[in-house]
Amino acid sequence: MNLKKAFLISLCIVLGVVLISGGVVYKLGHDLYSSVNYVSDDSVTVEETIPEEAEEETDERTGDLVSDEELAAIQESMDTSKSVLSDEDIYNVLLIGVDRQERTWNGNSDCMILVSINQADNRVTMVSLMRDTYVNIPGVGYKKLNAAYAYGAGPLLCETITETYKIEVDRYVAVDFWDLVDIIDIIGGVWLEVSAEEVEVANGYILDMCERLMNIDPSEHYFPTGGGTVYADGVQAVAYARNRYVGNSDFERTERQRYVLTQLLEEVKKMSLADMTSAMQLILEYVTTNISESEIWSLVTELPEMLEYTFETSRVPYDGMYSTIYVNGQDMLVPDWEETLELLHDFIYGSDEESETDADS
């Protein structure tokens, strides 16, 4: 959900307001950034193996069984003629929501939202990249997209996305779902419109999260029966965002994740400077990123204009442009890559955009 964009933009909001107000800009900004868990790419190693829980099997198969020959043809079709796009006017950052119950491994990136800040068109696009997409993870092999984070954390996931979606992505912000509960509570909650069906499933997640994983009383967090407009706390918002059993499975779950993210940003924008500063000092300790302090400051200078940008959201695979296969006990999504990349690039860069191509493509 989630997730990354709220942290990056929220940080920019805090620093930008301070910049405009003429406060002690550098000291405050530096103190805030020092709370972040900065991880350089060269300090991250690729794991040879990951826990068994990382490759959970599909509960009920819906994908088509494919022969070795058919699978080879699918893999060959992934090698498109597209080149990797980059543009000096567009800043790409990957927001990662990590699902793990123990911190002895990286976890799976079950939420991936590519945020592209287009300074030429004054707009921000948010594209959910679905976790079950069948991809070739460099140095690992063909697996679900969410496994890239399990093997090599943010750097390997960014590399996989760059090579698969042909968009230059080398910056990320990551947080796990359990920390997200605390982050939302620090901000004070978020307004959500929930249906009766969503309430029933979310309350099941709340029961499991509270009793089995958090050791707290779930009765204090249940959504009211029947749904409606609810000011959700962290447990409620995360349970809502995890729901893939109402509507079209993981497709609608990505919509819920983007919804929570945008609602969270609205709450941050309502906060006073003092409240934002206090909140960010608490929030940033939960964030893992490879974005340097100097890059954060370069974004701050554009903040006043950035807050007025148009926000647009999407999701890949697109409806009617993918198939589902069953491989190694898992359902995996196979987009029509040529057509998908054409639409994705147009959405982010514009159909008339003359973007540069990666020199190694």
Side-chain angles (χ1 to χ4, degrees), residues 186-203:
I186 290 170
I187 291 174
V190 57
W191 285 106
L192 299 176
E193 183 71 32
V194 295
S195 68
E197 294 79 9
E198 289 172 329
V199 163
E200 183 177 357
V201 174
N203 282 345

Side-chain angles (χ1 to χ4, degrees), residues 23-66:
V24 186
V25 181
Y26 177 77
K27 185 178 187 307
L28 176 58
H30 179 72
D31 288 347
L32 286 174
Y33 186 85
S34 65
S35 301
V36 176
N37 180 27
Y38 171 79
V39 178
S40 63
D41 289 352
D42 57 11
S43 68
V44 179
T45 58
V46 177
E47 303 292 336
E48 294 185 3
T49 60
I50 58 177
E52 291 184 3
E53 65 183 281
E55 299 193 37
E56 57 184 12
E57 294 188 355
T58 300
D59 294 333
E60 296 183 10
R61 178 177 69 84
T62 61
D64 296 328
L65 290 170
V66 293

